[in-house]
Amino acid sequence: MADRAPDPARGLLFPADEEEEAPVAGFARVALNRPLHCEFTYSVPPALAESARPGVRVAVPFGSRRLIGVIVATEDGCDLDPRRIRPLADVLDAEPMVDAGLLELTRWFADYYACSWGQALSAVLPGSLKREGNRRRVRVVSVREGVGETELAEVVDRFPKQHRLLRTLLEIGAPVELRVVTRRLKISEHPCRSLERRGWVTIERVVSAPDPLLSSGLDRERPEQLSDQQETAVGALVERLEQGEYGTFLLQGVTGSGKTEVYLRVIERALELGRGAIVLVPEIALTPQTVSWFRSRFGDVAILHSGMTDAQRLDMWMRARSGAARVVVGARSAIFAPVPDLGVIVVDEEHEPSFKQESVPRYHARDIAVVRARALGAVCVLGSATPSLESWKNAREERYERLALTERVSGRGMPVIEIVDMRREKPDRAGPKLFSRRLRTLLEETLERGKQSILFLNRRGFAPVLWCRECGESVRCRQCDVTLTFHRRIGRAVCHCCCEEVGPPKACPACTAPALHYLGGGSERVESSLGALLPEARVARMDSDTMLRREDYERTLESFGRGELDVLVGTQMIAKGLDFPNVVLVGIVAADSALHLPDFRAAERTYQLLAQVSGRAGRGADQGRIVVQTCTPDHPAIQRAARNDFEGFCAQEEALRGELGYPPHARLIRVVFEDEDAARAGEAAERCAHGLEACAREHGGAVLGPAPAPIAMLRGRHRRHLLLKLPARGSDAEAGSVARGFLIRFAEESTRTRVLIDVDPVSML
Ligand code: ADP
Ligand code: ZN
């Protein structure tokens, strides 16, 4: 593993001050948010001696810059030549921002996920704590009166980024935080500055408004009577909590079985015992609905999600830290909330891939939850209708305790699932086959009965492929190895990887044949075909193209809840957490779309998705019905999901993974090599694979690849990857740390090729 002791060679990165020696009251080791796997030693001037304690943030000189870091240790002496150590510039906090427990946790985190301690700490601290300066203000962009089509037309060809930005701002039609739009459109601030110079937009600094989720108030009643199964689950959890000992429980409960009520009861008890709680939910399930469940039960609940401004996040973070809010509900990063005396950690939908952060530091919040609970003697509840195979295996092997809710509350039945073989459906004259006869009939029936339907398709846009019949080519992104998706409303072909877009080519870019064909369907096409099929139905589409702001999302859900809409068409965004009793029909338009991904978890994902989406139907008194449209009706994931046979699916899938040596039977480290120069990326990958071979051989592991990554080019960079497989248990700890140590050095030494280390990877693209 990386040596955590200060590295003398590194302590001297900056030139020594030739000035006379200043008095020194000790030394501080500071973790900086940089990809350098060491901490840096600074001297503590006497004036700062009182406040320079572990866990406080400090400003330090670094080269010619000033950076913010966290003191991880203080020392009286130092082996380095004191004249060559620079002093801390400032201490920014009166009290430590990060307590000893979180310091320890992030240190483990950095080791395990092969990042620097400072990078791990950056995952813990809210954004505004990583900067100095005014925390309460955010920059907000608004379009000036009268700016519209003319201006758009002026920039469309020559300044595509300005065009994209201006169009998005016009669509939103309200001021938005600058950082939010630039991040979403994957652009820098330059295009916005250009629009400002043209006099089309204004950028203002404003005091950040309170979190919009605060306002929503749907009250939930506390059911008097728990079901027998809920009672048993709550009993087991409360018992462990009262003992004050660590335990991880896998709460496996079918959709609608009342898992949330179980969480609420354990948290009630924790609060009575004077302890706090963290509840993690997937970002998109963090709806006003979910929040109101917790707010109406516990009052002051701190919410943390990525849509908040830094100032809002900081506010919530401080309220958790001071104990004003003892319950924190949030997405991935909420696992680090500084809740004092944490007693319960809940991870709802624990199988969700979004708990894995896909940028540095690449941690898995569910796994951190277990580690944090163990360190604190807290109870960790992992809840899901379809647990990940990893957790399922951990429960089977009794590392986790298993609690089961096999029935829906109040005896409501599970929905009936029908598989429709799309290969047998007649092709549609107008376009791709989106609706089977069966689905059409049921949609009409549901509408007539005044009930609601949900249509799910895991793909946005109108047509994912623009295809030339003459030469067989399809239109691709210039910078990424993917096809462009046609979006009809904006009339542009968009890259879903880098967000760049072009006007739809009138002719094939490869052979100049006229008339490209629009193949396949996305949510936009489903919505428009539905309009033709059921003209009288009130339809809304929910995907990241229509739901530009959180408010749009909340408004649409509320109006669906009030029965002002008949059909909701959507992507991932509608797969989770929604609980609308009037929904009796769910159509899964293309169940196999996830099956063809180059990912060993493709079948597992498909099962999870089917179960999840199906769970949206039949939550009221009426029987729910699910139509699963597929071209692979015999696939085990689809067959088992239709029979609700999760155990059978897991057993089969686990055996398969065992044969292939994939998780949960093995642990993986994925390494991605990115470079503008394909040969250089290839060469780095080969060298790295070669270096890992010995470690793999010695510990009974293996190196797979290197090979081109499934997305072989991204934003103009060629990508290769390799997988290191290590045994799941036994020698793992040592093998893992040897491999990570090698990879960290390799990555640090590789200056041209970018080397990304992903421990326990979730995305294989
Ligand atoms: P899950 O998360 O397991 O899918 P939910 O927690 O959404 O299930 O619960 C489904 C519905 O059942 C919710 O509307 C909830 O209010 C209700 N519910 C939960 N427990 C009970 C109970 N003991 N009695 C009556 N209704 C309950
Ligand atoms: Zn692209």
Side-chain angles (χ1 to χ4, degrees):
M1 199 59 257
D3 187 5
R4 290 262 158 235
D7 178 344
R10 286 204 173 105
L12 300 180
L13 267 180
F14 10 81
D17 271 332
E18 296 301 331
E19 283 151 39
E20 65 188 273
E21 232 172 287
V24 162
F27 298 89
R29 297 228 327 261
V30 177
L32 294 172
N33 183 10
R34 319 234 76 215
L36 295 166
H37 294 261
C38 61
E39 290 78 56
F40 297 86
T41 301
Y42 290 89
S43 61
V44 180
L48 299 176
E50 280 284 288
S51 50
R53 285 182 286 158
V56 298
R57 294 174 309 130
V58 288
V60 296
F62 190 81
S64 58
R65 297 199 291 156
R66 182 175 158 111
L67 296 180
I68 305 290
V70 175
I71 296 187
V72 294
T74 49
E75 283 150 5
D76 295 332
C78 174
D79 298 341
L80 304 173
D81 178 353
R83 280 169 313 177
R84 309 197 68 184
I85 297 181
R86 297 165 85 182
L88 296 177
D90 203 358
V91 173
L92 304 176
D93 305 311
E95 290 292 315
M97 274 292 146
V98 185
D99 67 18
L102 278 172
L103 272 183
E104 197 47 47
L105 183 73
T106 45
R107 185 194 174 115
W108 169 84
F109 171 142
D111 279 350
Y112 187 78
Y113 290 108
C115 63
S116 73
W117 198 346
Q119 287 173 324
L121 280 162
S122 80
V124 171
L125 294 174
S128 47
L129 289 186
K130 288 178 241 170
R131 291 187 297 274
E132 285 182 273
N134 196 331
R135 294 173 191 162
R136 302 234 55 97
R137 286 174 186 276
V138 292
R139 280 173 306 162
V140 163
V141 213
S142 13
V143 181
R144 281 186 198 266
E145 272 298 306
V147 172
E149 293 304 323
T150 324
E151 287 77 8
L152 277 177
E154 205 175 307
V155 283
V156 61
D157 293 322
R158 289 190 37 229
F159 303 102
K161 290 194 173 117
Q162 292 178 39
H163 174 259
R164 205 149 30 103
L165 176 61
L166 182 60
R167 192 192 63 227
T168 308
L169 292 172
L170 286 166
E171 280 170 29
I172 293 173
V176 268
E177 197 189 343
L178 177 60
R179 209 175 47 100
V180 171
V181 270
T182 54
R183 200 164 49 181
R184 177 187 191 98
L185 299 177
K186 301 193 179 157
I187 54 177
S188 71
E189 291 181 4
H190 292 297
C192 197
R193 298 258 166 251
S194 309
L195 291 179
E196 191 187 26
R197 273 197 300 276
R198 289 173 191 274
W200 297 350
V201 305
T202 53
I203 304 174
E204 280 175 293
R205 286 182 178 273
V206 301
V207 174
S208 129
D211 176 22
L213 277 177
L214 276 173
S215 55
S216 58
L218 281 128
D219 272 11
R220 286 274 171 175
E221 278 179 24
R222 184 179 192 271
E224 305 226 328
Q225 191 70 45
L226 291 182
S227 71
D228 289 348
Q229 292 182 327
Q230 283 176 321
E231 197 81 62
T232 311
V234 173
L237 294 168
V238 164
E239 188 186 326
R240 184 62 56 89
L241 180 68
E242 288 172 347
Q243 289 164 352
E245 278 168 30
Y246 157 76
T248 294
F249 294 79
L250 181 63
L251 177 64
Q252 192 175 337
V254 297
T255 52
S257 60
K259 292 186 287 293
T260 314
E261 190 56 41
V262 175
Y263 310 148
L264 292 167
R265 298 282 169 126
V266 194
I267 296 171
E268 275 176 14
R269 187 71 192 116
L271 295 178
E272 284 168 10
L273 296 169
R275 304 186 72 176
I278 293 178
V279 181
L280 296 188
V281 298
E283 181 77 46
I284 32 184
L286 201 54
T287 61
Q289 261 191 334
T290 317
V291 171
S292 67
W293 282 35
F294 289 90
R295 284 246 163 92
S296 59
R297 198 69 65 85
F298 303 124
D300 199 357
V301 171
I303 311 294
L304 288 168
H305 60 79
S306 65
M308 292 161 75
T309 65
D310 281 346
Q312 290 168 338
R313 293 173 63 81
L314 179 65
D315 207 54
M316 290 291 175
W317 206 75
M318 293 308 230
R319 276 174 45 215
R321 191 166 154 272
S322 69
R326 317 245 22 204
V327 180
V328 173
V329 179
R332 187 173 59 225
S333 67
I335 190 55
F336 302 110
V339 176
D341 218 342
L342 190 57
V344 176
I345 304 178
V346 172
V347 185
D348 189 27
E349 313 282 12
E350 68 89 28
H351 63 277
E352 259 297 298
S354 66
F355 287 125
K356 177 75 197 274
Q357 175 149 305
E358 293 295 354
S359 58
V360 174
R362 297 184 165 76
Y363 63 94
H364 201 304
R366 176 200 57 216
D367 298 340
I368 301 258
V370 174
V371 173
R372 193 168 180 200
R374 187 184 297 140
L376 294 174
V379 170
C380 180
V381 190
L382 309 179
S384 175
T386 51
S388 61
L389 272 185
E390 285 82 355
S391 297
W392 182 81
K393 190 160 181 279
N394 277 329
R396 220 194 43 192
E397 293 170 358
E398 297 180 357
R399 277 180 294 275
Y400 300 166
E401 282 177 52
R402 188 159 182 177
L403 303 169
L405 306 177
T406 54
E407 279 157 21
R408 288 188 155 184
V409 285
S410 1
R412 288 165 206 151
M414 292 303 286
V416 177
I417 302 184
E418 297 178 31
I419 300 177
V420 175
D421 184 349
M422 292 305 276
R423 295 169 306 185
R424 302 229 178 115
E425 295 290 315
K426 282 202 210 68
D428 218 326
R429 269 171 293 118
K433 290 184 280 190
L434 291 177
F435 304 107
S436 58
R437 282 157 298 172
R438 181 66 181 148
L439 183 54
R440 272 186 247 175
T441 312
L442 288 172
L443 278 167
E444 281 161 17
E445 252 178 55
T446 308
L447 185 64
E448 269 164 35
R449 284 169 52 208
K451 298 281 175 186
Q452 293 173 305
S453 311
I454 288 180
L455 288 178
F456 174 83
L457 179 61
N458 208 1
R459 191 189 281 147
R460 64 200 170 83
F462 187 81
V465 180
L466 295 173
W467 180 72
C468 172
R469 179 173 287 165
E470 294 301 318
C471 70
E473 289 290 320
S474 38
V475 181
R476 295 182 160 264
C477 177
R478 280 181 302 122
Q479 311 190 76
C480 310
D481 178 35
V482 296
T483 59
L484 296 184
T485 299
F486 180 63
H487 287 242
R488 194 171 68 173
R489 195 178 49 85
I490 56 170
R492 318 268 296 164
V494 179
C495 171
H496 284 187
C497 282
C498 71
C499 293
E500 297 252 333
E501 49 180 57
V502 293
K506 306 242 167 4
C508 172
C511 74
T512 70
L516 291 162
H517 293 263
Y518 292 54
L519 298 188
S523 51
E524 194 182 9
R525 194 166 204 165
V526 169
E527 182 194 24
S528 83
S529 308
L530 191 65
L533 191 67
L534 300 174
E536 68 283 25
R538 297 160 300 170
V539 179
R541 169 160 61 99
M542 292 188 79
D543 55 30
S544 52
D545 295 321
T546 55
M547 302 292 125
L548 287 166
R549 292 182 308 158
R550 214 173 169 92
E551 291 92 312
D552 301 329
Y553 176 67
E554 289 165 17
R555 206 168 307 128
T556 308
L557 283 185
E558 276 167 25
S559 93
F560 191 63
R562 284 195 299 267
E564 295 159 7
L565 294 166
D566 302 305
V567 189
L568 203 55
V569 176
T571 55
Q572 285 292 17
M573 218 175 239
I574 57 169
K576 296 182 187 73
L578 308 187
D579 183 13
F580 295 110
N582 218 24
V583 173
V584 297
L585 174 66
V586 169
I588 298 171
V589 178
D592 21 25
S593 61
L595 271 183
H596 306 307
L597 292 176
D599 182 340
F600 68 91
R601 291 192 180 91
E604 185 182 356
R605 292 272 174 269
T606 300
Y607 188 104
Q608 288 162 349
L609 202 61
L610 294 185
Q612 210 85 62
V613 180
S614 312
R616 302 308 120 218
R619 290 187 156 237
D622 286 283
Q623 172 70 54
R625 201 172 272 285
I626 316 296
V627 175
V628 176
Q629 301 192 145
T630 170
C631 292
T632 48
D634 299 322
H635 193 282
I638 292 176
Q639 284 289 330
R640 302 265 188 189
R643 293 201 298 269
N644 247 313
D645 179 13
F646 184 67
E647 293 300 316
F649 171 75
C650 284
Q652 186 176 359
E653 183 68 15
E654 196 209 356
L656 198 64
R657 300 267 185 93
E659 282 166 29
L660 301 172
Y662 275 117
H665 293 275
R667 301 206 147 199
L668 298 180
I669 299 179
R670 180 179 184 236
V671 191
V672 182
F673 307 85
E674 296 186 346
D675 202 313
E676 283 118 36
D677 183 320
R680 209 161 50 204
E683 193 267 332
E686 289 296 341
R687 249 186 320 120
C688 185
H690 186 73
L692 286 170
E693 286 289 349
C695 162
R697 248 195 323 270
E698 187 180 334
H699 295 95
V703 177
L704 299 188
I711 296 179
M713 188 151 114
L714 187 64
R715 294 160 170 264
R717 283 206 173 92
H718 296 270
R719 303 171 79 236
R720 296 181 79 76
H721 72 162
L722 64 81
L723 276 180
L724 173 65
K725 280 185 191 173
L726 294 169
R729 309 254 144 231
S731 61
D732 165 62
E734 196 204 326
S737 65
V738 171
R740 289 187 294 256
F742 170 81
L743 287 170
I744 286 168
R745 279 193 306 281
F746 190 90
E748 275 187 358
E749 282 159 18
S750 171
T751 44
R752 313 281 298 266
T753 304
R754 262 168 64 177
V755 180
L756 319 175
I757 307 167
D758 192 356
V759 176
D760 299 337
V762 166
S763 164
M764 292 290 154
L765 300 175

